[in-house]
Amino acid sequence: MNSYFDSAIEYNRTNTINLAHSNDQSQSFSNEKNWEWSYLVRKCRNLELEESYDLYMRRLRVGYLSLFIFIQLQVTITHTLLLLTTPDITFVYVDMAAYIASGVVIWLILSVNFRSELVSKHGWVVYVSSWLAVCVMVLMDIGLNVYHATSHNFILNPIYDAYTLYAIYMFMPVPYLLQPFVLGSAVTLCYIINYIFVITSKEDNQMHSILNEAIYLSCVNLLGIFFRLMRDIALRTTFLDRRQYVEENLLLRYARDQERSLLLSILPNQIADRLQEDVKNRIERSKQQHQQRSHVDTQRTTDSQNLKRWRQPDHGTLFIEPHEDVTVLYADVVNYTHLTTTLDVKKLVEALHDLFVRFDIASEEYNVLRIKFLGDCYYCVAGLVSPNADHAKCCVDLGLRMIKDIRDVREKRHLNIDMRIGVHSGDVLSGVIGAAKWQFDIWSKDVDIANRLEATGATGRVHVSQKTLSLLDGEYFFEDGTEKAREDPVLQKHGIRSFLIKSLRAPMHDPRRVQRERQAKKLSEANKSNFMHNSTLHQYNQVRNQAKLEMCRELDKMPIGRIKLTKVFRRSTRLTQDEIEEETFRRNISSFCLFFRTRNWEMQYMREPDVMLKYSIALAWVIYMGLLTIQLLSKDARYHYWYIDGTTIILLTMLLIVSWYKKLWIMYMSDAEVSVPTSRLSGCLFNMSDVMQRNLFLRILIYFLIILSYCAVATMQVLGCSKDEDYEDSDPTVEDRLFCFHPWILTNCMTLVIGMSFLFTRIPFIIKVCLSTIITIVYAALVIFEFNHIYANSPSTNVNFNAKYSHILLMIITLGIFHLMERQTEFIAKVDYNWKRQLMKKQEDALITNDTIKVLLTNILPSHVGLPF
């Protein structure tokens, strides 16, 4: 049993991030594997969780879709109200009608996804509704451009190109990655075609503009793909952690049931509770003194060293309990001594085993607690574990059953044996004595009387005292006791008159007896249920099957991180299980910053290693190359630009190599035993890669360095440009004003900077929000004050609408989308961390329970018998 729980706990421990930040290298290698998308998918399939995960994701996608509808409503209302501020609203009504109508149509199309029964029966509804909604968004945005270009010769810039792509990857309920990628590629192609034939139709340098737009939309697609992939990894990890918590809970429940069954098989409830609590408290105290452990092997060594100290109860503690109104039964095998001298030892032991197994089964059926057996002596007590008004009848029925069983064994094995049984009712003291080896026993004069009744009884008969006979309600035929009993000094001393039970007086179908036997059988089945499956494999499979059922119930309780709108929309309906779980968890975190209210928790959460850092840096490197290409295509390259750009490329490339070195080393060593590199250069790179993942301040420093590099490469487009006053006297044309830099290209680059600032994992949420907000405010100030004339004369998104407000609106939309999505992602990450803490607590409880079982077994059975049990 203990080997099973050791292996099960070890299995679960390898999948849990070490909250104490152990430096154990094997744990580091395990973390690398545990955060791989392919590994997580394979693990879900191996655990047969893919279907449950799809159900969870379906509910989660509905939550994301609800968030998108809220965002779409806000964007439509804001954009429509801003159009009303235009000085000439002649052409505004068409745009307003298009925005409102498209919003209503999109809501109607996507609303079918909220009908869970329809979606579960017809999976194609998800794909069709998503494609139709995206088509409406694209047709509305591009259609207005085409309409104004052909009807009024107004060249407008689309504002919802990136917004549509973000909606595809972040909000649309299309599962997996291929379908969103195909849909995003189709949308990208549509906007590039619109850019070629509508927007750049009057520009001289069309190819550069088209390439810039293609690079920008490709980078937006990369951000969307990265976000969806990282979200799937995070959600699968959260889902597996929850499943692991469920399995750990079941394992702990099984362990406690085993422990409880073990105790109750030899001890009454009262003493078992006290003894169990005493052992557990001492183990917990001992573990608190050994908090600084390097790894699991050291812990096991420590446990084995302290096992001898744990197994001994405190010398000042006596586990003794008084019991009134119980009945004691003593049984002895007649002619046993003769058999020991004439019968082969193996046959003798087999006969005794067969006999005592029958006695144990019968004692459980009659709700009688067996104390112990010594050689051929077997004694037990009824009414000790729980109050039982029929304790005397249970013992007498057991005695008659034992006589029948021994005669069956006598005929089966051709042995000359029989039973002599004594039964007496009274009061006893029960308890555990001993230090190195515990022994449960009962003591009192009534125990001695029962022993004497057995010794002076008749072969094949149940010898009872008058007190016991008075409790039998006349259900048995009886006769006077034996001559030996009348002459026995102990019985004479206590004035005991004895009787021999001949047989039952009441018929077998007597209602009282039938009811009593049914109750005894029910109690027996309840006691046996905990020992029915001793096979480790069978028990582990049983836990896994039960975990599947538990996960189905847990799906309804797993929160999805809703945006709270209770102040705007009051709900009158009852909360669902996941909403209750979510509201309960929200009490542990602050509403604004999403910090744990317990400061220690927040620090431990932030200091967890960021295994996904290498993917964030890889994406950052690709996006930077895209921004650099846009910069080079938009502005003449100067020597100091190349100097700054070259330095930044080298720095980012070095970060990329270092961050991926650990992963590449583990992949290279996949066919061999994974270990730390031995060469100096390789070991240095490996350690640097590991430190980058583990050190919070280093991760934040890298994060700021990358975002500042983005801002630098984007703002290089405006270097050398003059302020608005330089154009007041010259009155240049729009083409001359835009020659300095293209405002929409710079705005697109800044939206990529904002998106990238949110897509770093394990960076505190408040830092992301503050940095992206500062970037948006600074850029808005740049648009309004520094280069007002250039932005105001750039292509707008609507006729007669001030273009600089279009730029700011796009920045705010991008900031709002990523802020809400990151807020939801951070909430789910905090929920996952909270579950991991609960899981660690369950594992600690399981280890304590496992150690308690070891102590109990060691103190009850010999070590070579008890521990492997």
Side-chain angles (χ1 to χ4, degrees):
M1 179 179 64
N2 286 283
S3 60
Y4 161 68
F5 286 109
D6 283 342
S7 60
I9 293 169
E10 184 69 22
Y11 167 80
N12 288 321
R13 185 190 299 276
T14 57
N15 299 321
T16 304
I17 294 180
N18 190 353
L19 297 178
H21 310 290
S22 170
N23 292 323
D24 181 40
Q25 203 63 48
S26 62
Q27 180 71 26
S28 177
F29 294 147
S30 178
N31 284 340
E32 289 289 336
K33 181 180 68 173
N34 291 348
W35 286 88
E36 291 179 359
W37 182 79
S38 58
Y39 170 80
L40 294 172
V41 173
R42 186 168 61 254
K43 187 174 180 180
C44 286
R45 290 175 180 172
N46 292 339
L47 294 174
E48 300 179 2
L49 291 176
E50 200 66 29
E51 183 178 354
S52 299
Y53 178 73
D54 289 340
L55 292 175
Y56 171 63
M57 285 300 300
R58 188 181 301 169
R59 186 164 61 87
L60 197 62
R61 285 192 291 266
V62 171
Y64 287 130
L65 195 58
S66 302
L67 181 60
F68 170 70
I69 291 176
F70 169 75
I71 294 175
Q72 177 71 12
L73 177 64
Q74 297 299 313
V75 170
T76 301
I77 293 175
T78 303
H79 198 175
T80 303
L81 293 177
L82 286 175
L83 290 180
L84 293 176
T85 63
T86 57
D88 184 5
I89 60 175
T90 305
F91 304 100
V92 168
Y93 295 112
V94 176
D95 294 359
M96 293 175 58
Y99 294 148
I100 296 174
S102 63
V104 173
V105 173
I106 289 171
W107 181 82
L108 292 174
I109 292 173
L110 294 178
S111 62
V112 298
N113 292 277
F114 294 100
R115 302 178 61 182
S116 56
E117 295 182 359
L118 177 64
V119 173
S120 60
K121 291 181 180 179
H122 308 286
W124 53 268
V125 171
V126 173
Y127 300 96
V128 173
S129 61
S130 299
W131 277 86
L132 288 177
V134 171
C135 288
V136 171
M137 295 173 66
V138 173
L139 289 175
M140 177 271 296
D141 198 21
I142 295 179
L144 288 176
N145 291 164
V146 175
Y147 168 74
H148 291 296
T150 55
S151 300
H152 313 98
N153 201 28
F154 290 127
I155 304 301
L156 303 175
N157 197 77
I159 193 173
Y160 294 125
D161 48 359
Y163 174 75
T164 304
L165 291 175
Y166 292 142
I168 292 172
Y169 290 106
M170 297 181 181
F171 303 109
M172 289 299 159
V174 183
Y176 310 115
L177 194 60
L178 179 60
Q179 285 286 339
F181 174 73
V182 173
L183 186 55
S185 300
V187 171
T188 301
L189 183 61
C190 291
Y191 276 102
I192 291 177
I193 293 174
N194 173 67
Y195 211 85
I196 293 173
F197 292 101
V198 179
I199 299 177
T200 61
S201 57
K202 294 185 177 182
E203 293 186 7
D204 295 332
N205 198 1
Q206 296 183 10
M207 185 56 64
H208 285 180
S209 299
I210 294 171
L211 286 176
N212 284 335
E213 182 70 10
I215 293 172
Y216 166 66
L217 293 179
S218 299
C219 290
V220 172
N221 278 277
L222 284 177
L223 289 179
I225 292 172
F226 180 83
F227 175 84
R228 180 168 279 247
L229 187 60
M230 294 300 102
R231 183 178 66 183
D232 192 59
I233 290 175
L235 291 175
R236 284 185 181 274
T237 303
T238 301
F239 191 79
L240 287 171
D241 285 340
R242 190 57 174 176
R243 197 268 182 192
Q244 187 178 344
Y245 172 80
V246 170
E247 182 173 332
E248 195 75 27
N249 194 29
L250 290 173
L251 288 172
L252 180 59
R253 192 186 308 169
Y254 272 97
R256 286 176 173 170
D257 288 344
Q258 292 274 353
E259 177 188 11
R260 191 66 180 168
S261 299
L262 172 66
L263 281 178
L264 294 182
S265 67
I266 58 172
L267 302 176
N269 287 339
Q270 299 87 341
I271 293 180
D273 292 338
R274 293 177 56 192
L275 186 61
Q276 185 179 14
E277 189 67 24
D278 179 77
V279 173
K280 189 170 297 184
N281 289 338
R282 283 186 286 113
I283 291 177
E284 289 178 348
R285 288 197 301 268
S286 179
K287 284 185 176 292
Q288 290 174 0
Q289 298 172 0
H290 297 83
Q291 290 295 327
Q292 304 299 327
R293 295 188 293 264
S294 58
H295 49 72
V296 177
D297 292 336
T298 304
Q299 176 192 349
R300 286 182 171 176
T301 303
T302 304
D303 290 349
S304 62
Q305 292 172 351
N306 292 307
L307 186 58
K308 180 180 291 186
R309 177 163 49 86
W310 291 346
R311 72 173 61 170
Q312 297 180 2
D314 295 337
H315 294 296
T317 304
L318 280 178
F319 299 98
I320 305 296
E321 290 284 347
H323 301 274
E324 299 179 353
D325 295 327
V326 299
T327 300
V328 181
L329 180 148
Y330 265 86
D332 188 65
V333 179
V334 178
N335 207 27
Y336 173 76
T337 305
H338 176 71
L339 290 178
T340 58
T341 59
T342 59
L343 196 64
D344 182 68
V345 175
K346 182 179 180 182
K347 292 182 179 179
L348 177 62
V349 172
E350 289 176 351
L352 286 177
H353 175 72
D354 186 9
L355 189 61
F356 287 158
V357 166
R358 291 170 182 253
F359 291 169
D360 285 341
I361 294 174
S363 65
E364 289 185 2
E365 290 181 2
Y366 291 105
N367 196 22
V368 180
L369 176 66
R370 186 252 287 171
I371 303 301
K372 61 182 177 181
F373 49 82
L374 298 173
D376 63 331
C377 180
Y378 185 103
Y379 69 101
C380 49
V381 59
L384 189 74
V385 176
S386 59
N388 182 6
D390 295 326
H391 54 86
K393 299 174 185 177
C394 290
C395 276
V396 172
D397 288 341
L398 175 60
L400 296 174
R401 170 73 174 271
M402 295 170 75
I403 294 172
K404 178 180 178 299
D405 287 340
I406 197 170
R407 289 176 178 175
D408 290 341
V409 173
R410 179 175 63 185
E411 295 179 2
K412 175 183 176 182
R413 298 182 178 272
H414 307 290
L415 299 175
N416 183 21
I417 55 176
D418 210 329
M419 288 299 294
R420 189 172 56 240
I421 297 173
V423 178
H424 177 63
S425 301
D427 304 330
V428 298
L429 288 174
S430 69
V432 174
I433 58 175
K437 289 292 182 181
W438 299 335
Q439 179 64 57
F440 176 73
D441 212 335
I442 55 177
W443 309 272
S444 74
K445 65 178 182 61
D446 295 314
V447 176
D448 296 335
I449 292 172
N451 189 9
R452 295 311 302 165
L453 286 172
E454 176 271 316
T456 59
T459 301
R461 306 290 286 274
V462 179
H463 197 198
V464 303
S465 64
Q466 186 173 11
K467 185 174 182 180
T468 301
L469 185 65
S470 65
L471 299 175
L472 298 181
D473 296 333
E475 294 186 15
Y476 303 85
F477 291 106
F478 62 90
E479 60 185 23
D480 290 337
T482 63
E483 184 66 26
K484 286 184 180 181
R486 289 191 289 269
E487 297 175 355
D488 186 82
V490 176
L491 298 180
Q492 287 180 358
K493 176 183 177 181
H494 296 289
I496 300 299
R497 184 181 176 188
S498 64
F499 301 89
L500 293 172
I501 300 297
K502 298 172 62 177
S503 61
L504 282 169
R505 184 190 300 273
M508 292 301 295
H509 60 273
D510 180 68
R512 293 178 300 174
R513 176 168 295 281
V514 172
Q515 182 180 4
R516 187 165 71 242
E517 290 182 352
R518 286 178 179 175
Q519 292 176 351
K521 186 175 182 181
K522 187 180 297 185
L523 288 171
S524 174
E525 291 177 354
N527 292 332
K528 290 180 183 178
S529 61
N530 295 320
F531 297 98
M532 289 298 292
H533 309 289
N534 293 325
S535 170
T536 298
L537 180 61
H538 180 85
Q539 193 170 18
Y540 182 67
N541 291 333
Q542 187 180 18
V543 171
R544 292 190 60 174
N545 293 334
Q546 184 67 22
K548 294 179 188 176
L549 299 177
E550 290 287 338
M551 276 303 298
C552 294
R553 289 189 284 268
E554 288 293 323
L555 285 176
D556 296 331
K557 297 191 296 183
M558 294 179 68
I560 58 177
R562 297 174 178 83
I563 302 299
K564 297 185 65 176
L565 301 174
T566 53
K567 295 183 180 180
V568 181
F569 304 103
R570 293 289 181 183
R571 295 189 54 178
S572 58
T573 58
R574 294 181 59 186
L575 296 178
T576 59
Q577 288 185 330
D578 66 300
E579 289 173 331
I580 294 174
E581 181 84 11
E582 190 168 314
E583 289 298 324
T584 302
F585 177 72
R586 284 186 185 276
R587 299 191 189 102
N588 298 324
I589 59 175
S590 60
S591 301
F592 178 72
C593 300
L594 294 183
F595 285 165
F596 282 112
R597 298 190 186 278
T598 306
R599 184 177 300 178
N600 186 39
W601 287 21
E602 184 64 29
M603 292 304 299
Q604 289 181 357
Y605 169 77
M606 290 191 298
R607 288 173 179 170
E608 280 194 319
D610 183 9
V611 185
M612 310 305 294
L613 179 64
K614 54 182 175 293
Y615 299 108
S616 300
I617 293 178
L619 176 68
W621 190 89
V622 175
I623 298 298
Y624 180 84
M625 291 302 171
L627 293 175
L628 181 62
T629 306
I630 291 175
Q631 173 210 326
L632 296 177
L633 291 174
S634 304
K635 194 173 182 67
D636 294 334
R638 302 177 184 178
Y639 72 92
H640 57 273
Y641 294 167
W642 284 108
Y643 177 78
I644 297 174
D645 292 339
T647 303
T648 307
I649 290 174
I650 293 174
L651 181 61
L652 291 180
T653 304
M654 291 177 61
L655 287 176
L656 180 66
I657 294 174
V658 172
S659 64
W660 274 87
Y661 192 84
K662 180 180 177 182
K663 172 67 176 178
L664 295 176
W665 174 263
I666 295 175
M667 292 174 60
Y668 173 74
M669 298 293 293
S670 60
D671 296 333
E673 184 180 355
V674 180
S675 58
V676 179
T678 55
S679 65
R680 178 174 299 180
L681 178 61
S682 183
C684 180
L685 292 174
F686 186 92
N687 292 330
M688 290 173 61
S689 179
D690 187 65
V691 170
M692 286 175 62
Q693 292 182 1
R694 295 180 179 276
N695 193 299
L696 172 64
F697 296 103
L698 183 58
R699 295 201 306 264
I700 295 177
L701 180 63
I702 293 172
Y703 169 75
F704 276 108
L705 179 63
I706 291 175
I707 300 303
L708 291 178
S709 300
Y710 281 10
C711 294
V713 74
T715 54
M716 281 182 188
Q717 300 180 42
V718 303
L719 294 180
C721 293
S722 301
K723 294 185 178 181
D724 299 342
E725 290 81 2
D726 297 335
Y727 296 108
E728 289 180 355
D729 297 332
S730 59
D731 190 24
T733 62
V734 174
E735 288 80 2
D736 294 333
R737 295 191 188 104
L738 296 181
F739 178 77
C740 182
F741 70 93
H742 197 302
W744 277 110
I745 292 178
L746 182 57
T747 300
N748 291 339
C749 291
M750 296 309 297
T751 59
L752 292 177
V753 175
I754 291 177
M756 196 63 217
S757 66
F758 278 101
L759 292 185
F760 271 79
T761 58
R762 292 299 175 189
I763 299 297
F765 173 72
I766 189 65
I767 293 180
K768 297 179 183 180
V769 173
C770 291
L771 182 60
S772 57
T773 303
I774 291 173
I775 292 173
T776 303
I777 293 174
V778 171
Y779 187 73
L782 180 73
V783 171
I784 296 174
F785 301 107
E786 187 72 14
F787 299 104
N788 174 62
H789 206 66
I790 295 178
Y791 281 95
N793 289 279
S794 65
S796 181
T797 56
N798 300 93
V799 179
N800 296 327
F801 184 59
N802 194 327
K804 62 183 180 182
Y805 297 135
S806 298
H807 291 271
I808 297 175
L809 178 62
L810 179 58
M811 293 288 292
I812 293 175
I813 290 175
T814 304
L815 176 64
I817 289 175
F818 279 97
H819 172 263
L820 291 177
M821 289 306 299
E822 180 62 22
R823 189 177 186 86
Q824 194 170 31
T825 303
E826 182 76 3
F827 179 84
I828 294 177
K830 291 291 178 70
V831 171
D832 178 49
Y833 179 77
N834 183 55
W835 286 341
K836 285 178 180 177
R837 293 189 66 89
Q838 295 177 9
L839 176 61
M840 292 295 293
K841 182 63 170 63
K842 288 292 182 183
Q843 289 181 336
E844 290 296 325
D845 291 344
L847 287 173
I848 291 174
T849 301
N850 196 35
D851 292 334
T852 306
I853 294 174
K854 288 181 179 179
V855 173
L856 294 173
L857 287 176
T858 305
N859 283 276
I860 294 169
L861 299 174
S863 59
H864 68 282
V865 177
L867 292 179
F869 175 72

